[in-house]
């Protein structure tokens, strides 16, 4: 065989080998591409199939409280965006832990959601002895909605018009002052205990199953004061049946321009607020979590819903993604674990 023909055979053989290698490479890449398409189709399928039935939105407090007001404000619009019904259910008691426990033990399919709250998801597990869920591990953080301040309110007939006058009255009547809350281990409970410690006074705690009944008893004079969330008290403050003495925001609110902050009146270190969120049981499909998160954000940014939430004093500053919310939640658990220990708060 001539040298020329030998080179042709070599080139031909090399070409065949190169073609074979390219075919194998393309086959391998094709398999990866196919796997990617399958994964993507599964993810899209999980997301597009949800929801196929009504969603339950669990509120761990009685009707009429701040959590209930926020839930009922967003539920209709959320249902409209998701194309299904969103039904608000109140499962009140034990500082919101009854409702939270129900959600923690439910199917993680996205059809049972919780209006997560600083009471049930950051404080009560360190105060109540029989909480059956792990606040750090048994939930899927979805959307942080915002926080509402705690406002110190007293009955309009109480002869005080400032925090200084209230403290003076408490000191002249040791052990006679009472404050209500939405339950043992609630932010209202911690707020009252923290206020008493900073002010150097003694007060008696009266727990309720939610803010609604506490407000009724405050209006009726059965309790002296409350450190409640702003939404269920706003109308009574505006109509004069309750007097607001201080609010737990960094600066005054436009809707209550004459109410000073706790810092302004010398109650420094009053770091207690009520935040709201949407959460589910642990183990939810990330695609479903993302779909709910986006729908909730769209609902709260609807002009009419936003106006309603703004009128209730909801402050939307906070974590903007499920991952950021998870980090925030861990920080809140650590903060309140330390605060509960420092105040020596236990189930009564």
């Amino acid at each position: 065989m001539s040298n020329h023909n030998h080179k042709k055979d070599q080139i031909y053989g090399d070409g065949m080998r190169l073609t074979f290698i390219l075919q194998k490479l393309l086959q391998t890449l094709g398999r990866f591409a196919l796997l990617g398409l399958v994964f993507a189709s599964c993810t899209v399928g999980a997301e597009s199939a949800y929801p196929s039935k009504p969603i339950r939105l669990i509120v761990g407090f009685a009707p009429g409280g701040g959590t209930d007001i926020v839930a009922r404000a967003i539920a209709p619009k959320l249902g409209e965006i998701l194309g299904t019904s969103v039904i608000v259910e109140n499962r009140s008691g034990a500082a919101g832990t009854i409702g939270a426990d129900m959600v923690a033990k439910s199917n993680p399919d996205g059809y049972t959601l919780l209006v997560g709250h600083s009471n049930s998801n950051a404080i009560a597990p360190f105060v109540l002895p029989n909480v059956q869920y792990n606040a750090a591990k048994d939930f899927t953080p979805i959307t942080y909605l915002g926080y509402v301040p705690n406002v110190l309110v007293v009955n309009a007939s109480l002869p005080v018009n400032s925090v200084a006058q209230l403290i003076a009255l408490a000191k002249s009547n040791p052990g006679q002052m009472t404050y209500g809350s939405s339950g043992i281990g609630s932010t209202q409970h911690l707020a009252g205990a923290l206020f008493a410690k900073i002010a150097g006074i003694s007060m008696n705690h009266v727990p309720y199953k939610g803010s609604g009944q506490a407000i009724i008893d405050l209006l009726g004079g059965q309790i002296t004061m409350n450190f409640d969330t702003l939404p269920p008290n706003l109308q009574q403050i505006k109509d004069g049946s309750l007097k607001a003495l201080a609010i737990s925001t960094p600066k005054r609110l436009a809707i209550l321009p004459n109410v000073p902050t706790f810092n302004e009146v010398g109650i420094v270190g009053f770091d207690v607020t009520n935040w709201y969120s949407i959460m589910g049981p642990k183990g939810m499909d990330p695609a479903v979590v993302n779909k709910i998160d986006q729908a909730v954000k769209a609902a709260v940014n609807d002009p009419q819903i936003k106006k309603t939430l703004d009128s209730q004093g909801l402050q939307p500053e906070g974590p903007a993604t499920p991952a950021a919310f998870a980090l925030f939640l861990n920080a809140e658990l650590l903060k309140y674990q330390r605060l509960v220990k420092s105040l020596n708060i236990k189930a009564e």
Side-chain angles (χ1 to χ4, degrees):
M1 183 183 294
S2 69
N3 188 48
H4 176 72
N5 287 336
H6 177 73
K7 286 182 177 178
K8 277 181 64 179
D9 290 344
Q10 185 177 0
I11 293 169
Y12 179 76
D14 289 343
M16 288 289 290
R17 281 193 292 272
L18 180 59
T19 302
F20 178 76
I21 291 169
L22 286 173
Q23 285 176 341
K24 287 294 184 184
L25 181 60
L26 288 171
Q27 286 174 1
T28 302
L29 289 174
R31 290 193 191 100
F32 280 118
L34 182 60
L35 286 172
L37 287 171
V38 169
F39 177 78
S41 65
C42 288
T43 304
V44 171
E47 186 175 349
S48 61
Y50 175 88
S52 59
K53 62 181 181 180
I55 297 168
R56 295 191 299 166
L57 190 57
I58 306 301
V59 173
F61 304 90
T67 316
D68 184 67
I69 290 172
V70 169
R72 293 184 188 278
I74 68 173
K77 190 67 180 181
L78 181 59
E80 179 185 320
I81 293 167
L82 289 172
T84 190
S85 300
V86 176
I87 303 162
V88 176
E89 291 186 19
N90 298 85
R91 299 295 180 99
S92 61
T97 60
I98 292 174
D101 185 61
M102 173 191 166
V103 174
K105 291 178 171 56
S106 65
N107 190 323
D109 55 7
Y111 292 101
T112 304
L113 303 174
L114 174 71
V115 183
H117 192 286
S118 42
N119 286 0
S120 56
N121 294 91
I123 302 172
F126 302 118
V127 178
L128 302 180
N130 296 314
V131 175
Q132 299 297 309
Y133 56 84
N134 185 315
K137 297 179 180 179
D138 289 346
F139 297 92
T140 297
I142 302 175
T143 309
Y144 176 86
L145 296 173
Y147 76 91
V148 291
N150 287 77
V151 59
L152 168 55
V153 286
V154 298
N155 189 289
S157 63
L158 196 72
V160 300
N161 293 300
S162 68
V163 168
Q165 291 176 357
L166 178 66
I167 292 172
L169 182 63
K171 287 183 176 179
S172 64
N173 296 275
Q176 299 303 305
M177 311 291 272
T178 56
Y179 70 98
S181 79
S182 61
I184 297 168
S186 64
T187 52
Q188 296 98 319
H189 182 191
L190 260 68
L194 184 58
F195 177 82
K197 181 178 180 180
I198 296 171
I201 59 176
S202 173
M203 299 192 299
N204 296 313
H205 174 226
V206 182
Y208 293 86
K209 286 188 175 182
S211 295
Q213 188 58 49
I215 294 169
I216 291 171
D217 279 8
L218 180 59
L219 290 168
Q222 280 78 35
I223 53 177
T224 312
M225 70 191 86
N226 201 348
F227 296 81
D228 201 1
T229 53
L230 181 59
N233 293 273
L234 189 58
Q235 186 55 48
Q236 288 83 359
I237 294 169
K238 289 185 173 181
D239 67 24
S241 53
L242 292 178
K243 287 188 282 192
L245 303 184
I247 196 161
S248 67
T249 44
K251 58 183 180 180
R252 296 192 186 197
L253 292 181
I255 55 175
L256 292 174
N258 297 322
V259 179
T261 68
F262 279 99
N263 279 337
E264 285 182 80
V265 299
I267 306 298
V268 180
F270 194 85
D271 184 20
V272 179
T273 57
N274 291 264
W275 49 258
Y276 304 122
S277 66
I278 302 299
M279 308 177 77
K282 68 177 179 181
M284 288 181 61
D285 187 320
V288 173
V289 169
N290 182 65
K291 188 165 189 176
I292 296 170
D293 177 48
Q294 295 305 313
V296 171
K297 285 184 171 69
V300 298
N301 285 318
D302 175 82
Q304 191 57 48
I305 305 299
K306 192 174 187 305
K307 183 179 178 181
T308 300
L309 297 177
D310 286 346
S311 72
Q312 298 298 322
L314 185 73
Q315 309 295 304
E317 299 88 358
T321 65
F325 176 31
L327 293 174
F328 167 85
L329 186 57
N330 288 335
E332 285 289 282
L333 284 163
L334 182 60
K335 179 182 89 172
Y336 283 115
Q337 183 181 27
R338 290 171 175 169
L339 184 57
V340 166
K341 186 176 180 180
S342 72
L343 294 173
N344 195 30
I345 291 180
K346 299 175 182 176
E348 299 161 6

